[in-house]
Amino acid sequence: EPSILTDSDSFQEVVVKIERSTYNKPFLGGFRNMRTGVEFHNAGSQTKLRKRPDKGIQLFCRETQTILEKNKPQQTRNTTSTQMTKIGVYVSNMTDKLISPGKYFTAEEYHKRRLEAVIVLQKYFRRWHAINVVQNLREQKRLRLAWEAQEELQKKMEKEEKLRREYERKLNPKTKEDFELLYHDLELWMQEETERINRTLTGAERKAALCELLEKEAQLIACFGRHKLNANEENQQKAMLHLLDKCAQPKRWKAYDGKITEMDTQDTLRGKELLEIYRSISIKDIPVDERMAVLLTLRCTVKEHECKLTQEIVELIDREVDLMSREVKECNLEGLRKRICTLFLQYIKIPKFNPGVAGLLKVPQDPLKLYKNVYLCHSCENYLPSTEFPIPANSRTIGRCRLCCNLDNEARRRDTFFKYRLILENLRKSEADYQDDAKIVSLVQLPDLQYMIENIWNCQSALSAWSELYDLVMVRWDKQHEWSPWNTILLTKEEADAHLKLCNLQKAYEAAFIYRIKQKHIWAKNYFARMPAMSSFLHRSDNQAHTS
C-alpha cells in the first residue's frame, strides 16, 4: 500500500492492485553501468485492451488495407585517412601507381561504342549461322543428287532387265503372253516393211516384194506354230506334275499359336505313291534292270483294280518287258513307253483309283452338272462352260470362246493384252489390300479396262503424260471410297504413291486439272451406265455425291 502526498505535510495510503502477467515479457534491450556493473532492462507496460462488441459482421480496417510502405536505404559513415611522407614519417612509394586521366567520353559515345561491338558480334554470329545453313543445304543437295542418281540407275537397270526378259521370252516362248508378243512384233514388222515397199517400189517390183514379204510372214507363222506345239507339250507336262503334286500334298491348318500342322491321309498317301510311279516311268535312259523293277511296280499297282484301262496297261507292260528281253533298241520303244505314260495318266485322273484328284478336275464326274452353265460357241461350234468365254461387262450375248478370240487376234489384229492384264492384276491386288470389300473391280474385265486406258485416259499418265504402259498403274482418285471407273486415275508408280498420300485433293491440285479428271469420270459413267451390273453402283455413288 503506497503513500501518496496529498498536501504539503499530509500523506494518504492508496491500495494498488497488481495483475500478474501470464506470459513472459519480451526482452526490449537495456544497458549496463560500467562503474557499478548493474544491468538495467528497458521495461514497458500496456493496459488491458477493451474488447469491442461483436456486431456479427466481419470488419476490415481501412488503414490496414491502404497502408503505404516506403523503403529508404541508409549508409553508415566510414572514416578513412591517408598518411603521406613528412618529417619524422617515411612511407614507401614502391607500390604506388601513377594514374593519369584519360579521354572523357559522354554517355552517347559509350552507348554508340557498345552498339558497334554488338553489331560486330552479330556479324560473326550470322556468318557462322550462314555457313552452317549453307553446309546443311549442300549436304541435302548431295544426298538428293545421290538419291536421284540411284533412282535413275535403278530405273535404267529395271528397264534393261525388262528388255532382257522380253527378249528371252520372245526367243524361247512358253506362255500365251509370250506368243502374243511374238505376233504383235510380227505385225509391227509387217507394217514397217509394207510401208517401206510402198514408198520405195512401184509396179511389178512392188508386187514381187509384197509376195516375198508374204512368204516370209508365212514361214514365221509356221515357226511360231512349231514353237507353240513344243511349248504346249511342256506346259501339259508341267500341269500334270503340278496336279499330281497337289494330290500328294498333306492337309494343312494353322493352330491358335500360329504353328502349321500337317496331316497325311489315305488319299494323300495314295497320291504320293502314284506320283512316284509316274516320275519313275517318265525317266529316260535308265538301265534295263531298273526299268524292269519300275514296270513291275506299275503292274502291281494297276492290277489292284480290274477294268478295261488297267488290262490295256498290263498288256503294254508285258509287251515292253518282252521287247526288252529280246534287246530291242531304246529308240524303238519310245512310242510304247509314251502310250504307257498316257494310259497311266488316265488311270491317275479317275477318282475311283485316286480319290484325291476328285476336287481338282475341271470336268465334274456327275454328268448332270455338265448341263449347267454350258453355252455354244458359234465360231468353233463347241459346247463349253461359261468360264471359257471372255464376256465384257457391257455384253448382252455370249459371243466367241477364248480360243476363237485368240485365234482371230493372231490372224487379224495381233494385239498384245499383256500390259493391260498387268495393270488389271496390280489394280485388283491394291484393292484387296484395302480390305473394304470392294466389288466393282471384280466386275471390270480386260476389254473394259482396255477401253478405259485407250479411249478415256489416252494410254498416258494424267499428270506427266508418260505413255509407257509398263510403268502405269490405276489407283483410286478419292481413297476414301472404293475404286470404280468414275473414281480412278491413271498415273505412274511414283506419282501413284505420292497421290495416295494426299489428304485434300482440292488443295493439292489445280481447279483445271480436277475439272479434266471429273470430265473423264463422267465419260466412264456414261460408258458403264449401259451395263446392268453397274447400275446399282452408279446409283449408290450418285447418292453419296448428293449427300456430300
Side-chain angles (χ1 to χ4, degrees):
E1 295 180 356
S3 298
I4 300 175
L5 180 64
T6 56
D7 292 329
S8 58
D9 50 355
S10 63
F11 293 90
Q12 182 181 356
E13 294 183 355
V14 181
V15 178
V16 179
K17 186 178 181 180
I18 300 174
E19 293 182 358
R20 298 294 181 183
S21 177
T22 59
Y23 62 93
N24 296 326
K25 293 183 178 181
F27 177 69
L28 301 179
F31 64 94
R32 184 171 60 88
N33 194 335
M34 300 296 292
R35 295 179 181 177
T36 61
V38 179
E39 293 183 356
F40 297 91
H41 292 179
N42 297 333
S45 63
Q46 178 65 44
T47 59
K48 188 174 182 180
L49 296 178
R50 186 178 62 179
K51 292 185 178 180
R52 295 181 182 180
D54 188 8
K55 299 180 180 180
I57 301 173
Q58 187 176 5
L59 300 178
F60 296 95
C61 179
R62 180 178 177 274
E63 286 74 9
T64 303
Q65 290 179 334
T66 59
I67 187 171
L68 297 178
E69 295 182 357
K70 183 177 180 181
N71 296 328
K72 184 178 180 182
Q74 293 182 350
Q75 186 175 1
T76 59
R77 294 179 179 181
N78 186 12
T79 304
T80 60
S81 61
T82 303
Q83 179 65 51
M84 303 298 295
T85 302
K86 66 177 184 177
I87 299 173
V89 177
Y90 172 75
V91 178
S92 175
N93 58 357
M94 297 299 295
T95 58
D96 292 351
K97 295 180 180 179
L98 182 62
I99 300 175
S100 60
K103 182 180 179 182
Y104 178 78
F105 53 90
T106 62
E108 181 180 357
E109 293 175 349
Y110 171 76
H111 289 295
K112 182 179 179 182
R113 180 178 172 185
R114 287 179 60 86
L115 179 61
E116 291 176 354
V118 169
I119 290 174
V120 171
L121 292 176
Q122 286 182 347
K123 285 181 180 179
Y124 282 98
F125 173 76
R126 290 173 181 175
R127 178 172 177 267
W128 171 81
H129 183 66
I131 290 174
N132 290 339
V133 170
V134 171
Q135 287 180 352
N136 291 335
L137 291 176
R138 188 180 289 112
E139 182 67 16
Q140 293 177 6
K141 179 182 178 182
R142 185 187 66 81
L143 295 176
R144 177 70 181 184
L145 292 178
W147 178 81
E148 290 180 356
Q150 183 68 21
E151 289 292 320
E152 191 69 24
L153 180 61
Q154 184 176 359
K155 289 182 180 179
K156 184 179 179 181
M157 293 176 62
E158 289 179 355
K159 187 174 182 180
E160 292 178 354
E161 181 66 18
K162 181 184 66 176
L163 294 176
R164 188 190 63 79
R165 287 199 307 266
E166 283 190 5
Y167 178 76
E168 186 67 25
R169 292 173 62 183
K170 294 174 184 177
L171 191 62
N172 298 310
K174 301 293 182 183
T175 62
K176 182 178 63 175
E177 290 81 7
D178 299 345
F179 287 100
E180 279 185 3
L181 293 175
L182 278 178
Y183 279 102
H184 182 65
D185 290 350
L186 176 62
E187 182 64 22
L188 295 179
W189 176 74
M190 285 291 298
Q191 292 177 3
E192 292 178 0
E193 291 296 316
T194 304
E195 183 182 359
R196 182 185 62 82
I197 291 173
N198 293 332
R199 187 178 65 253
T200 58
L201 301 178
T202 57
E205 294 181 354
R206 174 178 170 275
K207 291 183 179 180
L210 290 176
C211 290
E212 184 180 0
L213 180 62
L214 185 60
E215 291 179 0
K216 291 181 179 179
E217 182 184 9
Q219 292 176 1
L220 290 174
I221 292 176
C223 181
F224 294 166
R226 290 191 296 270
H227 281 287
K228 185 177 289 187
L229 290 176
N230 297 333
N232 288 338
E233 185 177 354
E234 293 180 6
N235 292 335
Q236 288 178 1
Q237 186 71 13
K238 291 180 181 179
M240 181 52 61
L241 290 176
H242 181 67
L243 176 65
L244 297 178
D245 188 63
K246 289 178 69 175
C247 294
Q249 289 294 327
K251 305 298 181 181
R252 292 185 178 90
W253 64 87
K254 181 183 260 187
Y256 68 94
D257 55 354
K259 295 182 179 180
I260 303 297
T261 305
E262 297 183 354
M263 182 184 69
D264 283 318
T265 62
Q266 293 181 353
D267 298 343
T268 57
L269 293 176
R270 177 67 174 176
K272 287 183 179 180
E273 179 185 358
L274 296 177
L275 175 61
E276 292 299 327
I277 295 175
Y278 179 76
R279 285 178 176 172
S280 299
I281 65 174
S282 300
I283 298 175
K284 298 180 180 181
D285 301 331
I286 60 175
V288 177
D289 53 347
E290 292 184 11
R291 180 69 182 180
M292 288 283 190
V294 171
L295 292 176
L296 181 60
T297 305
L298 176 59
R299 192 175 190 279
C300 296
T301 303
V302 299
K303 283 288 288 184
E304 297 174 359
H305 306 87
E306 289 292 338
C307 65
K308 185 177 180 180
L309 178 61
T310 57
Q311 290 176 2
E312 189 175 355
I313 294 175
V314 171
E315 290 177 1
L316 294 177
I317 291 173
D318 294 339
R319 188 182 306 175
E320 183 179 355
V321 171
D322 182 50
L323 292 175
M324 283 193 299
S325 63
R326 298 183 183 183
E327 297 182 356
V328 179
K329 294 182 179 179
E330 295 283 336
C331 59
N332 296 329
L333 297 176
E334 289 183 0
L336 181 59
R337 291 174 177 177
K338 192 171 183 181
R339 286 184 61 190
I340 294 175
C341 288
T342 304
L343 292 178
F344 185 62
L345 284 177
Q346 295 179 12
Y347 174 86
I348 292 175
K349 290 182 179 179
I350 298 176
K352 181 180 178 181
F353 308 144
N354 183 17
V357 82
L360 303 175
L361 295 177
K362 293 183 179 180
V363 180
Q365 298 302 309
D366 188 2
L368 296 177
K369 294 183 179 180
L370 292 173
Y371 296 101
K372 297 180 180 179
N373 297 328
V374 176
Y375 300 95
L376 174 65
C377 175
H378 296 281
S379 180
C380 61
E381 297 183 354
N382 291 328
Y383 286 94
L384 300 170
S386 58
T387 54
E388 296 297 326
F389 292 88
I391 305 174
N394 62 344
S395 178
R396 298 183 181 274
T397 59
I398 294 298
R400 295 177 297 183
C401 64
R402 296 182 187 274
L403 185 60
C404 295
C405 291
N406 294 335
L407 186 61
D408 180 72
N409 181 51
E410 292 176 1
R412 301 175 186 273
R413 294 174 293 137
R414 295 172 181 169
D415 293 333
T416 176
F417 304 101
F418 175 71
K419 298 178 181 179
Y420 303 104
R421 192 177 293 109
L422 189 63
I423 294 176
L424 183 60
E425 290 177 359
N426 292 334
L427 173 61
R428 289 177 176 172
K429 184 178 179 181
S430 63
E431 285 299 304
D433 294 339
Y434 281 103
Q435 297 181 355
D436 55 358
D437 195 21
K439 299 178 180 179
I440 301 179
V441 68
S442 60
L443 298 176
V444 177
Q445 301 299 319
L446 189 61
D448 305 325
L449 186 73
Q450 183 181 1
Y451 176 84
M452 291 174 56
I453 295 176
E454 291 181 352
N455 297 279
I456 299 179
W457 298 97
N458 298 324
C459 295
Q460 62 182 10
S461 169
L463 278 174
S464 59
W466 184 258
S467 59
E468 182 60 43
L469 290 180
Y470 280 113
D471 301 331
L472 298 182
V473 292
M474 265 195 168
V475 294
R476 298 181 179 184
W477 166 251
D478 185 2
K479 62 182 179 181
Q480 303 300 328
H481 302 91
E482 70 169 308
W483 183 92
S484 62
W486 49 90
N487 184 32
T488 184
I489 185 172
L490 187 65
L491 300 169
T492 62
K493 296 177 182 178
E494 293 81 7
E495 294 169 353
D497 294 338
H499 173 78
L500 294 177
K501 295 178 181 178
L502 299 177
C503 298
N504 192 337
L505 300 177
Q506 308 297 330
K507 295 181 179 180
Y509 296 118
E510 295 181 353
F513 178 77
I514 296 177
Y515 176 77
R516 290 199 304 269
I517 299 299
K518 293 298 182 182
Q519 290 297 113
K520 294 181 182 295
H521 291 169
I522 294 174
W523 189 353
K525 275 188 177 182
N526 295 334
Y527 175 77
F528 286 93
R530 298 172 293 176
M531 307 177 186
M534 291 287 188
S535 58
S536 61
F537 297 104
L538 277 169
H539 293 316
R540 188 176 65 182
S541 65
D542 292 339
N543 294 335
Q544 290 178 355
H546 289 314
T547 54
S548 62

